[in-house]
C-alpha cells in the first residue's frame, strides 16, 4: 500500500510539472529572431503594435485584388500574392494569413519552407504536382501528389515543399497559413544567394559539386535578378 501511495505521489508531481511546462511557454515567434535589449530603445512586441480599439474600422480587416492574376513572367514561372498582416492589419495576433499562387505552364513555386506556419493549399485551376520532404530523422521521405481543381494538400510547418504546374494551361491555387507572418525561405535563394555569400568550398563539399559550379550558382542567385517570394 505504501509503495502504491508513493507511486501516486510521484505521478502527481510529474503531472504538476508537466502542466506547468504546458501553461508557461514563450509565444511562437513572428519574425526570424527577436534580440533582447536592456535599454528602452528596442521593439517591445512580438509582431506589431496594436491600434487603439476605438480607432479600428472595417478597412482594417479588408483587402481586395485576389481576383487578379499575378505576373508569372519570371525565372520560375510563378507568382505569389501575399495577404498577411502587412496587407490586413486586423490579422495581427490572429495567427493566420493567405496567399494566391499563379503558375504559367511548367512554372513552379520552388522548394521552400515556412519556418512559422503549416500551409493548406487548394487548387482552383489547372494541375499541380506538389510535395514535401520530411526531416533527416524521418529519412527525408518525399510525400507527393498530383492535384486537380478542388483538391487540397497540407504542408506541415517547417517542411521543405514545392508546387509545379504539370498541365498545359495556367494554374491557380490558394493557400492558408497558420501565422500572420509565416516567413518564406526559398532554398536555392538562401543557400546560393545569401548576404554575404557562403564560402564556395563549403557548398561544394555539402552538395558534392565542383567549386566552379558553386561559384556560377552564387553569381546567378546573388545578382538580385528576379528573386522569388
Amino acid at each position: 500500500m505504501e509503495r502504491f501511495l508513493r507511486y501516486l505521489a510521484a505521478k502527481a508531481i510529474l503531472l504538476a510539472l508537466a502542466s506547468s511546462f504546458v501553461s508557461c511557454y514563450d509565444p511562437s515567434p513572428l519574425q526570424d529572431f527577436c534580440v533582447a535589449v536592456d535599454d528602452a530603445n528596442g521593439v517591445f512586441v512580438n509582431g506589431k503594435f496594436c491600434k487603439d480599439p476605438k480607432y479600428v474600422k472595417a478597412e482594417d480587416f479588408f483587402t481586395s485584388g485576389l481576383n487578379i492574376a499575378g505576373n508569372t513572367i519570371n525565372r520560375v514561372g510563378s507568382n505569389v500574392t501575399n495577404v498577411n498582416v502587412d496587407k490586413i492589419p486586423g490579422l495581427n495576433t490572429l495567427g493566420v494569413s493567405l496567399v494566391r499562387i499563379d503558375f504559367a505552364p511548367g512554372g513552379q513555386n520552388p522548394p521552400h519552407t515556412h519556418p512559422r506556419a503549416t500551409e493548406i493549399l487548394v487548387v482552383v485551376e489547372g494541375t499541380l504536382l506538389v510535395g514535401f520532404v520530411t526531416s533527416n530523422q524521418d529519412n527525408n521521405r518525399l510525400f507527393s501528389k498530383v492535384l486537380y481543381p478542388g483538391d487540397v494538400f497540407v504542408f506541415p510547418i517547417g517542411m521543405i515543399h514545392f508546387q509545379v504546374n504539370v498541365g498545359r494551361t495556367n494554374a491557380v491555387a490558394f493557400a492558408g497559413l497558420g501565422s500572420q507572418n509565416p516567413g518564406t525561405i526559398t532554398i536555392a535563394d538562401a543557400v546560393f544567394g545569401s548576404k554575404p555569400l557562403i564560402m564556395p568550398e563549403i557548398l561544394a563539399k555539402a552538395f558534392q559539386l565542383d567549386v566552379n559550379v558553386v561559384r556560377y550558382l552564387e553569381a546567378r542567385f546573388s545578382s538580385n535578378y528576379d528573386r522569388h517570394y
Side-chain angles (χ1 to χ4, degrees), residues 11 42 59 115 124 132 186 200:
K11 188 172 183 179
E59 286 73 15
V124 296
F132 69 87
T186 303

Side-chain angles (χ1 to χ4, degrees), residues 3-228:
R3 181 178 298 177
F4 179 70
L5 290 175
R6 287 178 181 176
Y7 166 77
L8 289 179
K11 188 172 183 179
I13 292 171
L14 289 174
L15 286 173
L17 287 172
S19 64
S20 69
F21 290 141
V22 170
S23 61
C24 301
Y25 60 91
D26 291 328
S28 297
L30 296 172
Q31 58 279 315
D32 288 342
F33 44 76
C34 183
V35 179
V37 292
D38 294 325
D39 55 42
N41 297 319
V43 177
F44 297 99
V45 295
N46 181 30
K48 294 182 178 291
F49 289 103
C50 298
K51 180 187 284 189
D52 189 323
K54 64 176 175 286
Y55 297 122
V56 171
K57 51 189 184 296
E59 286 73 15
D60 291 325
F61 302 94
F62 170 82
T63 191
S64 62
L66 282 189
N67 60 314
I68 301 171
N71 182 7
T72 59
I73 303 175
N74 54 56
R75 64 182 171 96
V76 294
S78 71
N79 184 281
V80 179
T81 303
N82 289 289
V83 181
N84 53 26
V85 70
D86 294 323
K87 290 282 187 68
I88 303 181
L91 284 175
N92 194 33
T93 75
L94 298 185
V96 67
S97 57
L98 176 72
V99 297
R100 169 181 173 144
I101 316 172
D102 290 277
F103 301 85
Q108 65 173 267
N109 192 7
H112 62 284
T113 179
H114 302 294
R116 295 181 285 276
T118 290
E119 175 180 345
I120 183 167
L121 177 140
V122 57
V123 176
V124 296
E125 293 179 22
T127 306
L128 295 180
L129 170 65
V130 307
F132 69 87
V133 179
T134 62
S135 65
N136 296 356
Q137 289 73 22
D138 193 51
N139 296 317
N140 302 124
R141 289 191 295 161
L142 171 65
F143 290 87
S144 184
K145 194 166 182 64
V146 175
L147 305 183
Y148 303 94
D151 289 346
V152 177
F153 199 83
V154 173
F155 306 100
I157 184 171
M159 300 289 102
I160 295 174
H161 59 283
F162 61 87
Q163 301 103 26
V164 182
N165 183 359
V166 293
R168 297 183 177 181
T169 62
N170 292 338
V172 181
F174 289 85
L177 297 113
S179 172
Q180 69 183 49
N181 183 25
T184 300
I185 302 172
T186 303
I187 306 306
D189 288 338
V191 172
F192 296 108
S194 64
K195 297 180 178 62
L197 293 173
I198 300 172
M199 290 176 58
E201 292 78 10
I202 294 175
L203 296 181
K205 188 168 186 177
F207 287 92
Q208 297 294 288
L209 295 172
D210 185 274
V211 71
N212 291 319
V213 173
V214 173
R215 291 193 178 102
Y216 168 78
L217 290 171
E218 289 191 326
R220 294 276 292 173
F221 283 93
S222 64
S223 62
N224 286 328
Y225 81 104
D226 199 24
R227 264 184 186 257
H228 192 67

